[in-house]
Amino acid sequence: MTMIVTVLLGAIGSIVAAELLDVCPWLTQKLLRRAANRLPATHRERYVDEWQAELDYMNTRAGKLFRLLWAIGVCASSSSLAREIADVPQINRQTRAAPVRLNFPRQPVFYGGSVRLDGVNDLDIPTVIRDLDDPPQASSTPDFLGDRGYDMRVRGPSGVFVFQMKHHHRTNESDE
Amino acid sequence: MGEGPRMTLQTHAVLSTLLREPRTEKYGLEIARESRLSTGTIYPILARLEAAGWLESGWEDIDESAEGRRKRRYYRLTGVGVREARRAAETTRRMISLDLAGVIS
């Protein structure tokens, strides 16, 4: 009798473990989506792509359970990541309080170059993460500067542009 | 540069890892593994250092369909990052030495 119970419990345990293991990839994706949803909208795509790439790499080297543990770690730290992203530097708080004129490069699509904030600082290497059909005026006033100087929304003729800033410097300081 | 990023032990670990090969680009998992940190911890630190201008990041330049995987995001210290990271490491080393000297004497 005891032997039958042991065998049954072992079989049930194996089935349950296999089922749980099958749920791992789904749960991993769910956790990554939840982590991404905690981030500012402008950063979600970047981190989802980054995490999925890491997951691709792990798919060839790590088991389902390891990948799930990794996703739990990412999800657990996502609030902290969101805080870091939303930590607006002092220079932008100043800029937001007193909006300044913004001179855009005159290319129709902004994949590089620099944007000048007159009287405050230069924001280098802007990368458009979402661009619309019509560029903003060559000179325009930003209606929002946020997210640690990385995201800048500018109202153009056909809507709002979102720029991602890779670096921000004060002009009177050297980079190297 | 203005005020530097908040320095924690984990931040030091990440910076030490990157300083070993300052011009080499590394992806998140790689940095986490070499720093002996959990990957969950690594992204907020990388974001903080990037916001401070100490790190720069960019997507890997590969053909995704040929490689059979997505592009990874690679991180590298900037010129400012190398200089400031060395300075931070030196400051911490000096502080620890002073603390140890106080304990020993």
Side-chain angles (χ1 to χ4, degrees):
Chain A
M1 183 65 185
T2 314
M3 195 163 170
I4 293 169
V5 171
T6 308
V7 169
L8 268 177
L9 281 178
I12 291 168
S14 300
I15 292 167
V16 169
E19 288 293 321
L20 285 178
L21 218 54
D22 282 347
V23 171
C24 281
W26 171 81
L27 204 52
T28 301
Q29 290 298 332
K30 184 112 181 144
L31 285 167
L32 289 186
R33 272 200 301 276
R34 170 172 271 207
N37 284 337
R38 287 178 180 159
L39 304 181
T42 47
H43 287 72
R44 275 180 209 151
E45 195 181 338
R46 173 226 157 134
Y47 279 99
V48 165
D49 288 348
E50 183 167 356
W51 293 333
Q52 290 294 347
E54 304 278 38
L55 209 52
D56 279 359
Y57 176 78
M58 280 190 282
N59 281 342
T60 59
R61 289 168 175 77
K64 292 173 185 171
L65 201 57
F66 181 86
R67 297 199 302 267
L68 176 63
L69 290 174
W70 170 80
I72 290 170
V74 169
C75 193
S77 71
S78 58
S79 299
S80 168
L81 176 60
R83 275 196 302 277
E84 294 293 348
I85 290 169
D87 187 15
V88 182
Q90 191 61 38
I91 191 160
N92 287 330
R93 289 197 198 106
Q94 290 166 3
T95 310
R96 190 191 284 181
V100 290
R101 203 114 186 106
L102 195 65
N103 294 319
F104 286 95
R106 287 180 178 273
Q107 295 90 336
V109 182
F110 305 102
Y111 284 117
S114 67
V115 172
R116 183 167 181 77
L117 288 173
D118 286 348
V120 178
N121 65 335
D122 275 350
L123 298 173
D124 294 339
I125 319 174
T127 309
V128 174
I129 56 176
R130 182 160 60 87
D131 62 280
L132 306 175
D133 292 330
D134 299 316
Q137 310 282 326
S139 184
S140 179
T141 303
D143 59 9
F144 178 78
L145 278 164
D147 287 352
R148 64 178 180 167
Y150 269 46
D151 295 316
M152 183 177 63
R153 290 174 207 166
V154 180
R155 199 167 295 285
S158 60
V160 175
F161 283 71
V162 180
F163 288 82
Q164 189 172 51
M165 299 298 170
K166 203 169 177 185
H167 300 294
H168 55 90
H169 309 277
R170 288 175 188 275
T171 46
N172 58 350
E173 289 174 352
S174 62
D175 193 16
E176 290 293 329
Chain B
M1 294 291 288
E3 202 175 306
R6 186 165 52 88
M7 298 297 287
T8 61
L9 277 177
Q10 286 89 344
T11 312
H12 274 296
V14 168
L15 287 173
S16 304
T17 298
L18 293 168
L19 268 178
R20 267 180 236 134
E21 297 158 288
R23 290 292 157 202
T24 306
E25 295 182 325
K26 295 181 180 198
Y27 53 92
L29 269 180
E30 193 178 12
I31 298 170
R33 195 176 53 233
E34 290 182 19
S35 310
R36 295 171 193 274
L37 295 172
S38 71
T39 44
T41 324
I42 208 91
Y43 296 106
I45 296 170
L46 295 174
R48 189 189 314 152
L49 293 173
E50 202 175 353
W54 291 23
L55 279 188
E56 58 188 1
S57 68
W59 294 108
E60 189 179 18
D61 187 19
I62 58 158
D63 180 352
E64 290 183 336
S65 53
E67 294 285 332
R69 63 174 176 82
R70 293 179 183 85
K71 293 174 181 180
R72 285 191 201 122
R73 190 147 188 109
Y74 275 85
Y75 295 86
R76 191 177 72 168
L77 283 168
T78 60
V80 172
V82 171
R83 193 181 63 212
E84 295 295 329
R86 283 189 179 135
R87 190 180 295 169
E90 178 57 28
T91 304
T92 307
R93 195 190 60 75
R94 215 178 307 125
M95 283 166 67
I96 291 170
S97 302
L98 284 172
D99 281 353
L100 283 177
V103 170
I104 292 165
S105 62

